[in-house]
Amino acid sequence: SAGGDGGGGAINIGSVQPLAGSFAPWGQVHSAGLAFGVREINENGGVLDGRELNVVEANSESDPAEAASIFERFAEQDDIVAATGPVSSDVGIRASRTAEELGIPMFMHMAGSNDTITPDTNHSFRVGLVPATPTAQAQAGLAADRGYESVAAIVGDYAWGRSVQSGIQDNF
């Protein structure tokens, strides 16, 4: 039986990772870490009276629309109870909205845009990266503590970069 049916079969967890392309190094490491954790849990008796965890994984290709499509497919066909990923803020924003629509928890490890998690977010969680604004606050504090009179930044033109830029403008 599948993940959310209440039966005694494996519990499916979705993994929406960039397994190829510019963010692949992070996606591959996160994929390996998830596989290790699931293997450890399963070798120690599983969860909920011995049920094993099963990872259902797909390559998001760092594309927001692809990630949303994967998440929806995981929910409809693989009966996932939760998901992890993605690595880009642009992908994270879209996946977070999809998680909200489906009511399925999404644990994002590298999506730090201010727009990824909002006051209305109930099913998406950031677990591996500090959001952009607090990062900029900390960097501004470090620069002030060290007496730097000027700093410079190259800002990427995507959701994370725009959030960092906003944090810089607010804190420097």
Side-chain angles (χ1 to χ4, degrees):
S1 68
D5 68 355
I11 297 171
N12 290 336
I13 300 170
S15 179
V16 183
Q17 305 292 344
L19 300 173
S22 59
F23 286 111
W26 291 281
Q28 292 165 0
V29 168
H30 295 148
S31 178
L34 178 61
F36 173 80
V38 165
R39 187 171 50 252
E40 289 284 308
I41 290 167
N42 288 341
E43 287 174 359
N44 286 301
V47 297
L48 302 174
D49 295 325
R51 291 178 71 185
E52 289 195 349
L53 297 177
N54 179 56
V55 176
V56 182
E57 185 170 71
N59 181 8
S60 71
E61 302 174 22
S62 297
D63 179 273
E66 180 66 14
S69 176
I70 289 167
F71 199 130
E72 289 171 358
R73 185 178 74 241
F74 284 171
E76 293 168 4
Q77 296 176 10
D78 297 302
D79 203 23
I80 62 168
V81 298
T84 187
V87 171
S88 165
S89 288
D90 291 319
V91 178
I93 291 167
R94 183 76 179 266
S96 176
R97 300 308 175 261
T98 303
E100 294 303 309
E101 291 168 10
L102 298 173
I104 297 174
M106 166 64 96
F107 297 88
M108 297 175 285
H109 42 72
M110 287 186 72
S113 164
N114 297 339
D115 296 326
T116 306
I117 307 258
T118 69
D120 297 326
T121 303
N122 294 307
H123 294 90
S124 298
F125 307 90
R126 185 182 291 116
V127 295
L129 180 66
V130 176
T133 297
T135 299
Q137 291 168 341
Q139 292 168 346
L142 177 66
D145 290 348
R146 294 194 175 171
Y148 296 156
E149 293 183 23
S150 64
V151 296
I154 298 172
V155 177
D157 186 22
Y158 67 111
W160 167 254
R162 288 186 294 276
S163 290
V164 169
Q165 182 176 19
S166 175
I168 289 169
Q169 291 168 339
D170 291 346
N171 293 286
F172 281 86

